[in-house]
């Protein structure tokens, strides 16, 4: 053992199982001190006048921390909670606790890297060593068949080369018995004590098909439900473009984003399912989607803060407007285009939106309203329960045509999409009660209906439901 004590700074790797940072700490030190530090900057104002973290994700994070704390307590230790800037609090605590080293997981985006670098500098000035590890992706960064600087810009090439030339590491095993360091006096014990924002005041009335509970316990329960109890995995490829219900897709994203579940855990469970139940295109397709997640993370590593800039990784001049009024209507789900409004209302009332919905509302904002795509990305950052900087900004760039898409223009015909994915208007009925007296597909096109139909549906356009923000001329069906 090189050290008497190691402080483990947990970040977006909030799990005990398959946690390389925890494992390395147990190998390097006689005892470990796991710590989570709530950074108030993550709850302050973000870009474009929006919050960085809204109430759904705040609640999910508080549950995740509680779940991990319970697990560590069962093993005889504790998860020590701090409030403040990690680059100040963590080295100070390490010194107070007599820890000779600090271990943590590497992140890839600019703000997180700034914190890491400042923390390392502060630790070294106190004579404390630091070690950081890569563990957020399916393929390990050191096992990629190319250096990150030469990462292919096109997903298909990235995926095929990884599948052919790389491999997925086994799960990390943490020893059965771990020695925990004594916790220094005066530590914090709960979410409110650590300055966590109150999430009960707004927007947490949850109307979702599925309640997301934070923590690796609920994550494994969800995986068990989706794979073994319902066999939903076996038809994932056919159902993944769905809009309603708990099981059209895996819904693993919030747990993956906070690291309560690792992509390798999902991969190993898919492999077990393939051996014990069935192997088909759907079981492969879930892994395919996890490779998309990897792709955006490695892209962020390659391109740094360009993923947050208006010209994206292509540094492309744009035609974006600053339409504040149109943007707030889009955000509130009041554009007068039912398919867009229903998706935005689902997001606002639950913190979640399907992948299909995300593509449509993003395309509508950037292509139809021509609004700066970064406003949309920042709004998603505030609202999403599964917000992940790489997947979010990467997907937004992609749709805005400034990211990695050989097809360039990702334009979606909203009415054609409605015909394909919600032909009976049931999704609209669910989220837009103003339109529920209309029948079937008419719910998608109140702006094209004759006045008799509107009268029967008791809708006065412009009063009961907004007039459309854009004309539907481009959307022939
Ligand atoms: C504009 C836009 C913004 C997005 N923002 C986020 C975000 O902040 N966080 C986030 O996790 N995903 C984001 N996505 C990707 C995708 O919509 C979600 O991962 C997915 O809807 C989550 O549901 P699921 O877990 O049921 O996915 P499933 O369909 O079951 O897929 C399994 C997993 O694969 C990964 N995945 C699937 N699709 C994608 C994708 N297009 N890009 C990256 N990873 C993917 C996710 O980790 C997901 O949990 C965004 C997509 C768009 C179009």
């Amino acid at each position: 053992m090189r050290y008497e004590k190691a402080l483990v700074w947990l970040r977006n790797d909030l799990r005990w199982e398959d946690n390389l940072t925890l494992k390395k700490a147990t190998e390097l030190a006689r005892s470990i001190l796991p710590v989570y530090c709530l950074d108030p900057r993550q709850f302050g104002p973000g870009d474009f006048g929006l919050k960085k973290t809204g109430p759904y994700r705040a609640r999910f994070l508080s549950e995740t921390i509680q779940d991990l704390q319970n697990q560590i307590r069962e093993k005889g230790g504790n998860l020590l909670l701090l409030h403040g800037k990690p680059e100040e609090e963590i080295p100070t605590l390490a010194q107070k606790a007599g820890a000779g080293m600090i271990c943590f997981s590497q992140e890839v985006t600019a703000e997180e890297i700034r914190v890491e670098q400042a923390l390392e500098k502060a630790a070294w000035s106190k004579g404390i060593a630091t070690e950081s590890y890569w563990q957020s992706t399916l393929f390990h960064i050191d096992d990629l068949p190319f250096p990150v600087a030469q990462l292919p810009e096109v997903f298909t090439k990235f995926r095929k080369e990884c599948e052919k030339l790389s491999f997925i590491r086994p799960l990390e095993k943490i020893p059965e018995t771990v020695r925990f360091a004594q916790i220094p006096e005066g530590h914090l014990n709960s979410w409110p004590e650590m300055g966590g924002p109150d999430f009960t005041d707004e927007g947490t009335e949850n109307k979702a098909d599925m309640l997301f509970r934070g923590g690796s316990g609920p994550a494994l329960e969800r995986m068990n439900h989706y794979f073994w109890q319902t066999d939903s995995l076996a038809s994932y490829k056919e159902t993944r473009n769905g809009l309603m219900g708990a099981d059209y897709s895996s819904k693993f994203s919030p747990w993956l984003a906070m690291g309560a579940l690792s992509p390798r855990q999902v991969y190993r469970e898919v492999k077990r399912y393939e051996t014990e139940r069935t192997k088909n295109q759907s079981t492969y397709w879930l892994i395919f989607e996890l490779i998309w997640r990897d792709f955006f993370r490695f892209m962020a590593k390659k391109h740094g803060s360009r993923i947050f800039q208006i010209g994206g990784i292509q540094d492309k001049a744009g035609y974006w407007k600053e339409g504040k009024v149109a943007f707030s209507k889009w955000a509130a789900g009041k554009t007068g285009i039912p398919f867009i409004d229903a998706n935005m209302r689902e997001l606002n009332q639950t913190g979640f939106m399907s992948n299909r919905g995300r593509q449509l509302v993003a395309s509508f904002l950037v292509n139809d309203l021509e609004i700066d795509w970064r406003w949309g990305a920042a709004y998603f950052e505030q609202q999403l329960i599964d917000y992940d900087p790489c997947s979010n900004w990467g997907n937004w760039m992609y749709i805005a045509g400034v990211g990695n898409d050989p097809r360039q223009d990702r334009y979606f015909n909203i009415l054609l999409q409605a015909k394909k994915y919600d032909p009976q208007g049931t999704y609209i009925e669910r989220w837009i009660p103003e339109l529920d007296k209309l029948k079937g597909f008419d719910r998608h096109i109140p702006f094209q209906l004759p006045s008799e139909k509107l009268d029967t549906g008791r809708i006065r356009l412009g009063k009961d439901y907004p007039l459309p923000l854009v004309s539907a001329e481009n959307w022939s069906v």
Side-chain angles (χ1 to χ4, degrees), residues 240-361:
R240 56 181 284 273
N241 279 306
L243 301 165
M244 287 169 75
D247 296 336
Y248 60 82
S249 65
S250 75
K251 311 271 176 82
F252 293 160
S253 53
W255 292 288
L256 286 164
M258 278 183 198
L261 185 67
S262 80
R264 276 191 313 270
Q265 284 178 295
V266 178
Y267 176 82
R268 292 289 158 211
E269 201 66 0
V270 171
K271 291 288 134 190
R272 188 162 81 86
Y273 184 88
E274 287 181 340
T275 314
E276 294 178 21
R277 290 261 167 103
T278 186
K279 179 177 176 176
N280 61 19
Q281 285 204 346
S282 286
T283 56
Y284 166 67
W285 215 259
L286 194 73
I287 296 165
F288 176 97
E289 294 299 338
L290 288 175
I291 302 177
W292 264 111
R293 180 179 174 276
D294 270 23
F295 179 64
F296 285 123
R297 191 155 286 249
F298 289 123
M299 274 294 148
K301 174 91 181 153
K302 177 176 177 183
H303 292 289
S305 52
R306 277 161 70 193
I307 68 163
F308 301 110
Q309 285 159 16
I310 193 161
I313 61 175
Q314 298 184 13
D315 206 10
K316 202 167 149 187
Y319 51 87
W320 316 105
K321 291 182 195 154
E322 293 218 344
K324 289 210 165 79
V325 174
F327 174 74
S328 41
K329 288 186 176 174
W330 172 85
K334 292 188 175 162
T335 65
I337 310 295
F339 208 14
I340 299 301
D341 292 346
N343 276 290
M344 293 306 291
R345 292 183 194 189
E346 180 181 2
L347 175 67
N348 292 336
Q349 291 172 41
T350 70
F352 191 82
M353 190 197 288
S354 68
N355 184 55
R356 178 64 28 193
R358 293 180 205 205
Q359 292 181 317
L360 299 182
V361 301

